[in-house]
């Protein structure tokens, strides 16, 4: 396939000038500051090193941190602009209590009253409806220490089984598949392995916009002559430079990967020694794809048979290769199977445990890696231990100093918690660092559910659209105000350093949680005086586990620019590359092939809803947008959701670029300007999901879950697209959610 050139102008038009043009010396370069703090970006899982500049107790700018090895000073537009959020007018600085008579919906209230009310409502609801009728939803923009604390707080502070986290919408399909096939859940490689790969295969990841720093690693591989293969229904910016583009129909990845495995077997592009000595289950996996001929694969995926064969040839004959995947293959009712089908390709060709070889997920949220290890998942205890395993329970009880019977059992997952709120089983909710009104599928359902809660308390630094439904809002801390560790996309544990104190009466998240535990009569389990003390306990709790941090200290992290777990002792160097010597994390050391048969998505197109909808991200906005919709230069870059649509589909529907279109599904409908682009399949439309209210893409998506990982199928819905009107007179729909009150204007 011909390479499409990407001009500097194209890049600037799409990403803004800052991707390539870091102002020398950083933003606000000339100004005198009181101090500079080496820390990391608060946004995505790349966790770029950054130096924050602090003046008069505000973060006023940044400097690139060139020495930090992962990003070497590079930052994307979000990292460059993140400092603009800390002094935002909307910053919550005092606790709030719902007050329908106040125009804002809330009145300020003192900490004692707010906290006592939350504590007494938790105990009242549990007394009336049982311990699990109060649920907790947590998030992994939180540090490792806070993730650990939330798991312990829900189990011992509140005493509920129903705790889950926003990584349920993000990392869990990869997590379940990694554990099942490889025995551990972490990137198989440090990113320095990417440039050593002869083939880089990217499946369902918009690398240039969502893991921007990874782009430079991929380009370094290409500079060495590596082949780049991209599988995506959209020709993403990175895909425009690919050697082979596999423009598959949404929801068909396991068919694509299964067909590639079929071709590898047919053409004997297998690593027989590796399969025999280091894996089990190949026969079953091979049998599952026996009928997956290129012709069949082409029919199901919409990718020409020749291209699938080419992908198999390149992947199978290359000495080294890395397959990187993200939510494009994971946000599915078969997200786990999709990941397993990718891992099968790595195992079949022996691409594990060597430089430049691996199959790995690109994490999403800032602490998407660490946050999925320390026990705030509904089925998990710290160290990625199982809450249903008696030995694991005993061990954690010994660390926590409680009786094993005090630790509740397995609870339900994030979407299931919302389902149980909707059906009245769960009556009370505490959220921290999670905005389900924007981020869960089927917005109308989520809002209905929240309206049924007897008590809802939210901890955040902005009044996000979910917190707007709360009875009590507790002002917590921003990333740059707290101290702790985070684990990056590579599995590198890094140190977050505080640049300033929380403003006004806002408090550090962990102090709020420990105070609440105290008011619940459980303070003895939460005696911490600093987050470092929480980390020290986390080290002990993770010792000997599948996510072993025992040998990592804060000092080591600072000295060594991060430490890769597993790191079982202080004299252990850490483990950048997993599975060296092809030893996998099972007692027999062998990886598991998994038989994967293709099955269709939960909802398929029909006459009434004839177009596939897929959802995702744009570079300048982050997740539910609570933070980035408040940063003006990022808003200016992409102010509202646009509906990407192919010229042929647009023409058949009488739609021109900029026309307002209505997109409707069985759940709801929304309007957005059309962005007519030739870079999307003609049977598919794409809408980014970072906005709330009438601009929320999740009005259209469905609550269907992967049966194993319980991730929602954000990447496939059936919709109808209609033209509403020509372009709006003003270029942007100014009607929006009022960011202060959550009210639709
Ligand atoms: N700018 C920005 N960066 C971010 C974030 C953000 O909000 N904004 N969020 C962070 C987080 S939490 C996450 S999880 C990551 C997400 O990072 P990505 O997963 O890279 O981002 P998405 O846009 O969700 O989806 C990726 C790609 O999947 C494609 N896709 C859709 N359906 C399918 C399908 O069925 N099969 C395949 N193969 N591809 C499909 C989409 O076209 C899209 O290009 O990004 C992180 N980085
Ligand atoms: N349609 C569709 N929906 C999706 C996706 C998609 O691709 N398509 N992607 C899904 C994915 S991958 C993800 S990760 C989710 C994300 O969904 P959410 O987790 O709901 O999104 P966030 O914007 O991270 O919301 C986090 C909230 O935490 C707050 N916050 C951030 N840091 C801190 C902190 O340190 N302390 C406190 N107290 N609060 C903090 C922010 O202000 C924000 O209000 O969305 C999911 N939803
Ligand atoms: S958003 Fe991600 S890629 Fe961008 S600067 Fe922050 S950590 Fe780096
Ligand atoms: Mo995510």
């Amino acid at each position: 396939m011909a390479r499409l050139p990407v001009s500097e102008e194209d890049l600037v038009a799409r990403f803004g000038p800052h991707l390539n043009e870091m102002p020398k010396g950083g933003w606000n370069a000339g100004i005198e500051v009181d101090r500079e703090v080496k820390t990391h970006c608060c946004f995505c899982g790349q966790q770029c090193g950054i130096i924050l500049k602090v003046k008069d107790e505000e973060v006023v700018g940044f400097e690139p941190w060139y020495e930090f090895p992962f990003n070497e000073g590079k930052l994307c537009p979000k990292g460059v602009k993140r400092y603009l959020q800390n002094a935002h007018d909307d910053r919550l600085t005092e606790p709030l209590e719902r007050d329908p008579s106040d125009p804002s919906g809330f009145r300020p209230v003192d900490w004692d009253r707010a906290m006592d009310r939350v504590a007494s409502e938790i105990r009242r609801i549990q007394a009336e409806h049982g311990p699990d009728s109060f649920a907790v939803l947590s998030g992994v923009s939180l540090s490792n220490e806070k993730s650990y604390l939330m798991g312990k707080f829900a189990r011992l502070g509140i005493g509920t089984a129903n705790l889950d986290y926003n990584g349920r919408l993000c990392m869990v399909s990869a997590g379940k598949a990694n554990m099942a096939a490889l025995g551990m859940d972490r990137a198989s490689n440090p990113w320095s392995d990417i440039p050593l790969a002869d083939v880089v295969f990217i499946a369902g990841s918009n690398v240039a916009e969502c893991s921007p720093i990874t782009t430079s690693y991929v380009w370094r591989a290409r500079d060495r002559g590596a082949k780049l293969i991209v599988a995506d229904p959209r020709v993403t910016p990175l895909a425009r430079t690919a050697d082979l583009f596999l423009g598959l129909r949404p929801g068909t990845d396991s068919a694509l990967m299964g067909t590639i495995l079929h071709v590898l077997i047919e053409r004997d592009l297998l690593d027989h020694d590796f399969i025999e000595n280091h894996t089990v289950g190949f026969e079953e996996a091979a049998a599952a794809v026996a009928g997956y001929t290129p012709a069949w694969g082409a029919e199901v995926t919409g990718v020409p048979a020749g291209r699938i064969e080419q992908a198999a040839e390149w992947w199978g004959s290359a000495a080294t290769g890395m397959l990187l995947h993200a939510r494009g293959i994971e946000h599915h009712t078969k997200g786990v199977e999709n990941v397993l089908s990718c891992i099968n390709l790595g195992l079949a060709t022996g691409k594990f445990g060597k430089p430049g070889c691996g199959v790995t997920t690109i994490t999403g949220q800032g602490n998407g890696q660490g946050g999925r290890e320390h026990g705030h998942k509904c089925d998990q205890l710290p160290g990625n231990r199982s809450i249903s395993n008696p030995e694991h329970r005993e061990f954690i009880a010994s660390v926590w100093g409680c009786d094993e019977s005090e630790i509740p059992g397995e609870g339900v997952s994030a979407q299931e918690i919302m389902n149980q709120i909707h059906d009245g089983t769960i009556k009370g909710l505490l959220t921290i660092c999670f905005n389900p009104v924007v981020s869960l599928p089927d917005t109308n359902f989520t809002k209905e559910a929240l309206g049924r809660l007897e008590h809802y308390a939210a901890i955040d630094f902005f009044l996000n659209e979910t917190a707007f439904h709360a009875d009590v809002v507790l002002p917590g801390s921003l990333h740059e105000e707290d101290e702790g560790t985070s684990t990056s996309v590579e599995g590198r544990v890094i140190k977050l350093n505080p640049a300033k104190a929380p403003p006004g009466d806002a408090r550090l998240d962990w102090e709020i949680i420990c105070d609440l535990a105290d008011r619940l009569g459980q303070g003895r389990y939460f005696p911490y005086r600093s987050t470092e003390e929480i980390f020290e306990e986390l080290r002990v709790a993770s010792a000997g586990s599948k996510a072993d941090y025992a040998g990592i200290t804060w000092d080591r992290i600072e000295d060594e620019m991060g430490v890769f777990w597993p790191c079982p002792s202080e004299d252990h160097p850490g483990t950048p590359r997993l599975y060296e010597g092809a030893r996998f994390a099972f007692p027999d050391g062998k990886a598991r092939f998994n038989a994967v048969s293709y099955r269709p998505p939960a909802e398929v197109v029909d006459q009434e809803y004839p177009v596939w909808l897929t959802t995702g991200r744009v570079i300048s906005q982050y997740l539910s947008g609570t933070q980035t919709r408040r940063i003006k230069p990022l808003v200016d870059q992409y102010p509202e959701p646009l509906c990407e649509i192919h010229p042929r589909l647009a023409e058949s529907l009488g739609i021109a670029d900029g026309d307002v279109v209505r997109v409707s599904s069985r759940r709801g409908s929304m309007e957005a300007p059309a962005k007519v682009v030739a870079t999307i399949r003609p049977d598919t439309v794409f809408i980014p999901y970072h906005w709330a209210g009438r601009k929320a893409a999740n009005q259209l998506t469905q609550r269907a879950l992967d049966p194993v990982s319980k991730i929602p199928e954000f990447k496939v819905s059936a919709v109808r697209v209609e033209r509403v009107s020509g372009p709006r007179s003003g270029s942007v729909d100014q009607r929006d959610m009022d960011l202060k009150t959550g009210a639709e204007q």
Side-chain angles (χ1 to χ4, degrees), residues 517-528:
D518 202 30
R519 287 171 205 255
L520 289 163
Q522 300 294 84
R524 65 189 178 286
Y525 294 125
F526 301 86
Y528 314 108

Side-chain angles (χ1 to χ4, degrees), residues 1-5 239-244:
M1 186 190 164
R3 282 188 188 165
L4 298 171
R240 280 167 224 173
T241 70
D243 299 282
L244 183 64

Side-chain angles (χ1 to χ4, degrees), residues 182-199:
L182 309 170
M184 242 154 108
D185 177 24
R186 203 209 86 183
S188 51
N189 307 69
W191 255 221
S192 54
D193 267 1
I194 297 174
L196 307 178
D198 292 343
V199 177

Side-chain angles (χ1 to χ4, degrees), residues 437-439 443-444 447 465 615-616 621 623-625 629 635 638-643 660-661 663 669-673 687-700 728 730-739 744-745:
V437 162
V438 179
S439 57
T443 314
N444 291 330
K447 286 186 182 166
E465 289 76 11
T615 60
Q621 287 295 313
L623 301 182
S624 71
R629 279 186 278 122
V635 173
Y638 199 113
E640 62 174 336
L642 304 176
C643 176
V660 177
V661 297
V663 184
S669 81
M670 69 180 286
E671 291 179 11
I687 306 178
Y689 88 102
H690 312 284
W691 291 266
R694 60 169 70 82
K695 293 181 182 173
N698 274 323
Q699 296 173 99
L700 308 173
R728 287 194 210 103
S731 57
V732 175
D733 183 358
Q734 297 299 348
R735 296 170 311 171
D736 205 342
M737 300 284 286
D738 180 335
L739 286 172
E744 282 180 27
Q745 297 172 330

